[in-house]
Amino acid sequence: MSDHVPLTTDTAEHELLSFRVGEQEYSVDIMSVREIRGWTRATPLPHASAYICGVINLRGTVLPIIDLAKRLAIDVAPACERNVIIVVQVNGQTLGLVVDAVSDILSIPQSEIQSPPEMGGDHGPTFVKALTIVEGRMLRVLDLDRVHPPMDADAA
Amino acid sequence: MTKPDPMAEIRASFFLECEELLEALQDGLLALDGGDKDPETINICFRAVHSIKGGAGAFGLDDLVRFAHRYETVLDAIRNGTLTPDHDTMLLFFKAADFLSDLVRSSQTGDGLEPDLVEGTLLDLESFTGDAVKEEEAATDFEPMAVSLDLSDFDLPSGTVYRVIFAPEPELFKSGNEPQHLLRALAEAGTARITCDSSKLPRLEALDPENAYLSWTVDIETEVSAEDLTELFDFVDGLCSLVITEVSNAPPDKPDLPAPPPDAVDISNPGAPLASPTLQKSNGTRPTQTPNATVRVDLDRIDRLVNLVGELVINQAMLSQSVAEAGLTSDSQVTSGLEEFMRLTRDIQDSVMMIRAQPVKSMFQRMSRIARETSGAIGKRVNFLTEGDNTEVDKTVIERLADPLTHMIRNAVDHGLESKSDRLAAGKSEEGTITLSAAHKSGRVIIEISDDGDGINRPKVKQIAETRGLIPPGQDLSDHEIDALLFLPGFSTMTQVSDLSGRGVGMDVVRSAIQSLGGRISITSVKGRGTTFSISLPLTLAVLDGMVITVDGETLVVPLSAIVETISLMDDDVKRLGPDTNVIHIRDVFVPLVDLGVELGYRSAPTDYEGRVVLLISQEDGARMALLVDTIEEQRQVVIKGLQATYGRVPGIAAATILGDGKIALIVDPVDLMTRASGKTGTPSEDLQLAG
């Protein structure tokens, strides 16, 4: 399973699951999505980064939950029952992303997907790996590899 | 291995078999050493070595074949009675068995062993047989062997004896028939003795794989008529030559049979290794200990089952909770049905855990080898005894126990037992005794290592701890506290660091290894009488007895094994120590106060302690802390869910579990928490060790 966007064929279509975080629209490759579930209060993990909500019980497995708004530094109200958890698989690991709402499933031809422009003013990690336009609105394709918390020495 | 190799699987199963054979060899040697005169015992040893040799030959493991062959020759000498085993012979046999397992292991990994070592042990072995063994002999063993099926086990009433001569034509094989099935059917009809005539078999290079060369002669004693016997061959009518004649009253073991080749294989007992030479046994002398039927299962599958059962337990807890919330009376059908369900779940859980359990025997055998090697290296005579070999412990526990035990056995031989002269002077026998025992005790496994040495030299231990700066000089310590010093990092009592133990990695490593398994270790030592290390371990790593507590609205679980007592605080129990640190005063001992909520970053330190609850946590070395929590909910068994795989290690947290309401609760790691306990209401770990 790869959420890598190939840039070779123009005819290929990408199926993306789009969702909203605050006022911004993001999407992920639908193939990396395992399920979408309602919000559950996560058990907080001590000494974890601020964007880690904690862990929830996903049918017997311990699933780490990432607050995408905090990860992307988007100012939103704290997570509550109105939020949704998208369960994704990245590099063989399963994790949950808290988003505000899931909007749509879109088929976007490769030709309409462009790489994000490089911005001199941007420092730190960028979480957008591609951009596209849907009905006049900009849709960001999320780079899941970067969202996924790096396992530091202590957490390895 | 670079690419998938069809041989790899066969190889793997050969090495698995080797493990079993080596174990059988060890058992046999131990029995011999214990004075067992049963000829079957030496046969077992011989067969084990022979089977290893046979398998090794098939895989071209020449070193292994060579060594096994000579070993076998010496064992054969004992079997023939030309050599009587004495103490030295047995020692050498043990050494050779150890060496054989080294060879097997090195063949498995592909690393070579020191050729000098091989030759040295070989020469030692051969000195017993006198004449050197010719290499060619090994080769002759792998010529195609004739197979004789000794199916004489069937104890049927005697009847007529028939001789069935069955020679399949090539067409029989082409039409997909299998002589084995026919022979088996035949054997079921009565008491059969089947011999295979392989005389027509050409050399391998001349062999046409599509031709049929073998024929079988079956002497069968049966009540079935000749017609019925012929009927068995109906399906292969015309595909073979079949002659059935009546032999009057001939016993099955008639010498006028085509003489079975000497290297016939007894395949009537599926447990017997295939390549071993036959020991034609009559029904009476067959060993009475038939091995239990076993199935080899991939560990992954068992783990999956364990996980599923874990989920079942969680689900059941959730169900009970919702039933309780529904407010049903305790005599309703749902409630009684649920109770039955709970009992079943518990049974299933226990059974599944039992699958993972293994007898500690194989590990104990490894330890007996360690004891032999260590004692050999430092020139002490040691009598190594094991007790409770069949005690079953979780496989993972066994695996992770091997290193600490190795260390402790070496310590026992090296430090525990006195030197020969000291022993004699103390009026003890020259040979020291080390006992390794395992037993189940109240839901835990107790493993004890005891020696009959001089016991812990407490003044010396204390003095060393003082010189190393581990404790301030001039302290008044109890015996128990001095013993606990052995577990401090960087402690080694041996003034002379020996090759085998005392390399600075000491008992502290042992202790942390045991603790990571959820175990405890303790010492009892009597001056002049010896020392006993006692390890207490949980039966399984999958469930844990825990105390469910809450801190700042979060539910957590503290392992019950770490909790000594629970105390309700009075305000004046708490004494200020540093600007941010406090101790509590319990029965004339000051114990550092650690707020779980602060340590886990849930809240800032409270100021009022009146009526608060603390759990008194103790480590094996006596280090203690008082863990401040908000409430104690209940005491229950929880299923351990690792965090490592999904998230990574969390400081102070051992794992997670799922509670009855489906929420995740974290399981506190008291040892980790204690070493990390920082500021606020806790004190640094150095001071902790003095608190006990």
Side-chain angles (χ1 to χ4, degrees), chain B residues 520-543:
Chain B
R520 289 164 163 250
I521 181 165
S522 59
I523 312 177
T524 43
S525 178
V526 180
K527 182 81 193 144
R529 300 268 295 278
T531 309
T532 300
F533 286 88
S534 178
I535 302 170
S536 147
L537 291 163
L539 278 179
T540 165
L541 300 179
V543 287

Side-chain angles (χ1 to χ4, degrees), chain B residues 7-164:
Chain B
M7 282 298 275
E9 207 172 308
I10 309 174
R11 255 179 86 106
S13 77
F14 162 66
F15 284 120
L16 266 178
E17 217 159 81
C18 274
E19 299 263 304
E20 285 168 15
L21 291 168
L22 287 168
E23 204 172 295
L25 175 64
Q26 280 280 0
D27 277 351
L29 289 178
L30 279 174
L32 278 181
D33 198 27
D36 190 339
K37 296 278 185 284
D38 188 353
E40 186 51 29
T41 312
I42 184 80
N43 279 338
I44 288 171
C45 299
F46 182 84
R47 263 204 305 273
V49 176
H50 188 86
S51 303
I52 292 173
K53 181 178 89 168
F59 291 103
L61 305 169
D62 294 335
D63 277 352
L64 193 52
V65 171
R66 216 153 48 93
F67 186 79
H69 178 70
R70 301 210 195 165
Y71 192 6
E72 181 190 77
T73 314
V74 185
L75 284 171
D76 199 31
I78 293 188
R79 202 158 63 129
N80 298 337
T82 50
L83 185 71
T84 351
D86 54 21
H87 182 72
D88 288 341
T89 327
M90 287 318 298
L91 267 184
L92 184 65
F93 276 1
F94 276 120
K95 200 172 146 200
D98 292 345
F99 195 72
L100 189 66
S101 64
D102 281 347
L103 267 173
V104 167
R105 218 149 286 149
S106 77
S107 307
Q108 192 171 9
T109 52
D111 326 320
L113 277 180
E114 291 271 323
D116 292 356
L117 264 171
V118 183
E119 287 307 321
T121 319
L122 275 179
L123 286 175
D124 283 351
L125 268 179
E126 271 162 17
S127 63
F128 284 100
T129 45
D131 52 307
V133 186
K134 289 182 190 70
E135 287 296 304
E136 287 75 26
E137 263 185 55
T140 55
D141 268 305
F142 302 108
E143 289 206 335
M145 286 190 287
V147 179
S148 117
L149 290 101
D150 178 5
L151 296 164
S152 49
D153 275 353
F154 298 92
D155 201 14
L156 285 181
S158 52
T160 332
V161 177
Y162 294 100
R163 168 166 296 175
V164 182

Side-chain angles (χ1 to χ4, degrees), chain B residues 341-398:
Chain B
F341 178 46
M342 277 162 73
R343 209 161 31 239
L344 275 174
T345 326
R346 181 56 67 121
D347 281 357
I348 294 176
Q349 196 183 7
D350 289 349
S351 314
V352 168
M353 294 312 166
M354 236 129 75
I355 299 180
R356 275 190 64 90
Q358 275 191 331
V360 291
K361 187 173 181 176
S362 61
M363 187 184 55
F364 275 20
Q365 285 187 347
R366 271 173 72 185
M367 293 309 132
S368 92
R369 173 179 181 178
I370 301 287
R372 266 200 311 278
E373 284 179 350
T374 313
S375 56
I378 57 174
K380 284 181 188 171
R381 277 189 63 177
V382 173
N383 181 19
F384 187 80
L385 301 175
T386 59
E387 282 166 25
D389 289 21
N390 291 321
T391 309
E392 293 196 332
V393 187
D394 189 281
K395 191 177 158 61
T396 322
V397 176
I398 293 185

Side-chain angles (χ1 to χ4, degrees), chain B residues 212-234:
Chain B
Y213 299 105
L214 299 174
S215 63
W216 285 270
T217 308
V218 183
D219 285 290
I220 180 165
E221 187 180 350
T222 177
E223 294 186 312
V224 179
S225 67
E227 287 74 42
D228 288 341
L229 287 181
T230 323
E231 221 166 74
L232 290 173
F233 291 86
D234 268 358

Side-chain angles (χ1 to χ4, degrees), chain A residues 40-49 52 54-65 93-95 148-149 151-156, chain B residues 311 314 318 553-555 598-602 641-653 656-659 662-666 676:
Chain A
T40 328
R41 190 190 165 274
T43 304
L45 292 173
H47 311 293
S49 316
I52 305 273
V55 285
I56 63 162
N57 165 23
L58 180 75
R59 289 185 300 279
T61 14
V62 179
L63 184 77
I65 301 295
Q93 280 228 324
T94 311
L95 59 135
H148 176 52
M151 295 258 193
D152 56 43
D154 207 7
Chain B
E311 269 163 53
I314 291 161
M318 287 159 89
E554 297 298 333
T555 308
V598 172
E599 293 310 321
L600 299 180
Y602 292 159
K641 295 270 172 189
L643 279 173
Q644 256 87 340
T646 47
Y647 179 73
R649 238 180 70 76
V650 182
I653 299 297
T657 188
I658 297 170
L659 296 176
K663 290 263 165 32
I664 290 183
L666 301 174
R676 282 170 193 271

Side-chain angles (χ1 to χ4, degrees), chain B residues 619-663:
Chain B
Q619 272 190 27
E620 262 67 18
D621 60 358
R624 290 183 185 194
M625 70 173 169
L627 197 61
L628 188 71
V629 302
D630 288 354
T631 54
I632 292 174
E633 296 287 315
E634 59 174 332
Q635 190 179 316
R636 58 173 290 181
Q637 264 202 334
V638 296
V639 179
I640 300 174
K641 295 270 172 189
L643 279 173
Q644 256 87 340
T646 47
Y647 179 73
R649 238 180 70 76
V650 182
I653 299 297
T657 188
I658 297 170
L659 296 176
D661 58 0
K663 290 263 165 32

